[in-house]
Amino acid sequence: MGDVLDEATAILKCRECPWYKNCVTPLQVSPEDIAQFRLMLQQGNLPEQAKSEMENILEHIASMSQDMILQSCPVFAQRLKESPQLGRQIKEMMQNWGKEE
């Protein structure tokens, strides 16, 4: 009975979730995030050259993260953790994407 309740709870969480049917999205680094980091750098006691290098690194990471780092909804992440088979199926599907059958 617990399994049925757990699944029903997960379905309800999905429907109420702002991620609904968009379980995985690229990580978004907003201009506000970058501005906050710059402010932290300015308040630090780093030499100007180090601050400049850190800003360049931050901008590089922010642009790379759009393509490389994903956020996933909590329900999707939990399902992947609980079901290794689901993870294997998704991995296999992605590895075979576009191959003719």
Side-chain angles (χ1 to χ4, degrees):
M1 183 69 173
D3 292 341
V4 172
L5 290 176
D6 290 343
E7 187 62 27
T9 301
I11 290 170
L12 287 174
K13 284 182 184 177
C14 277
R15 295 234 169 118
E16 294 173 358
C17 181
W19 292 79
Y20 187 57
K21 293 189 178 180
N22 293 294
C23 299
V24 179
T25 62
L27 178 67
Q28 299 296 316
V29 179
S30 70
E32 291 83 22
D33 295 332
I34 294 173
Q36 184 177 10
F37 187 77
R38 283 188 177 137
L39 181 62
M40 288 172 30
L41 281 176
Q42 290 172 357
Q43 293 172 349
N45 292 328
L46 295 174
E48 283 303 313
Q49 184 179 358
K51 287 181 186 179
S52 175
E53 289 176 15
M54 290 293 288
E55 283 188 25
N56 289 339
I57 290 170
L58 172 69
E59 289 174 9
H60 185 67
I61 290 172
S63 66
M64 285 178 42
S65 72
Q66 302 298 320
D67 294 330
M68 298 177 62
I69 302 173
L70 298 176
Q71 293 176 320
S72 64
C73 88
V75 174
F76 182 66
Q78 188 63 36
R79 287 179 178 170
L80 283 174
K81 287 177 186 175
E82 291 173 352
S83 175
Q85 179 62 26
L86 177 60
R88 282 191 293 275
Q89 288 174 340
I90 292 172
K91 180 179 177 180
E92 184 178 315
M93 181 182 70
M94 295 305 293
Q95 288 174 336
N96 294 318
W97 191 281
K99 291 182 181 176
E100 293 184 31
E101 295 182 22

